[in-house]
Amino acid sequence: MADTFQRARSEEQRAVRRRAILDTAGAMLGQMPVAQLSLNELSRRVGLAKSNVLRYFESREAVLLELLAGATEELLDHLDAALSEAVDAGAPVFERADQVAATMAGALADRPVLCDLISAQAAVLERNVSTRVATEYKRASVTQAFTLAHQARRHLPELDERDSVRFVAGALMMVMAAWPHAHPSAAVLAVYESEPELAVLRVDFRTALRESLEIQLSGLLARASR
């Protein structure tokens, strides 16, 4: 691969290089968590010197933010159909809310790379990028958040736009919080195994996220009905 990637002389060639870097990073995240993906290893696997990778992405975090945006777009495409299939339009509002919560929680739990990226977004990925990259990412994420809010509201018209956006924001915050707790370190896992009474602190991500989304929607709908 190193022989293939010599110089990018056109925008088309640059796009090919960028795609190769993103695809390689995505494949690596199927094998390791975000915290273990290094720029050195990414460069080695893609067949470019680290300095050349930095010509296409200003940092490791910039690569991962672009992967996060792409993975979120794929989630939205999936939910557009999945919610329509899962939510019974004729059901009572709180039953529909539970169906929305279960569908969203399941879709996220089935995408561990996306959840790992979301959990690292604010604390890690946004810390080593320029204002330009941060602006591009935030613009994309705002558009995606409103798209997800619209998808939820389509099945829960009892929510107004403000509350549907609140729901999406809360869902993302819950992913950020629950994912690392559901995937503890080896030391913490050893504690749970050696002291079963402490294992009550262990979190099942899918269940915790679904229950949290159910409660959040129930609260927003109850407030909306007052």
Side-chain angles (χ1 to χ4, degrees), residues 53-64:
V53 172
L54 293 174
R55 292 181 180 179
Y56 302 104
F57 293 93
E58 63 184 37
S59 64
R60 176 193 83 115
E61 289 75 16
V63 175
L64 296 175

Side-chain angles (χ1 to χ4, degrees), residues 8 22 125:
L22 289 169
L125 304 189

Side-chain angles (χ1 to χ4, degrees), residues 79-151:
L79 285 174
D80 195 46
L83 285 168
S84 295
E85 293 176 4
V87 180
D88 179 359
V93 61
F94 287 101
E95 185 175 331
R96 281 183 278 121
D98 285 353
Q99 291 167 347
V100 168
T103 303
M104 286 184 58
L108 283 160
D110 288 341
R111 289 163 173 77
V113 170
L114 172 58
C115 292
D116 196 19
L117 287 166
I118 291 173
S119 73
Q121 174 200 327
V124 178
L125 304 189
E126 296 179 356
R127 301 292 175 173
N128 188 31
V129 293
S130 65
T131 301
R132 177 188 62 80
V133 169
T135 299
E136 290 174 356
Y137 172 72
K138 287 299 185 182
R139 283 176 176 162
S141 62
V142 165
T143 299
Q144 291 171 335
F146 274 94
T147 297
L148 183 53
H150 173 74
Q151 289 177 339

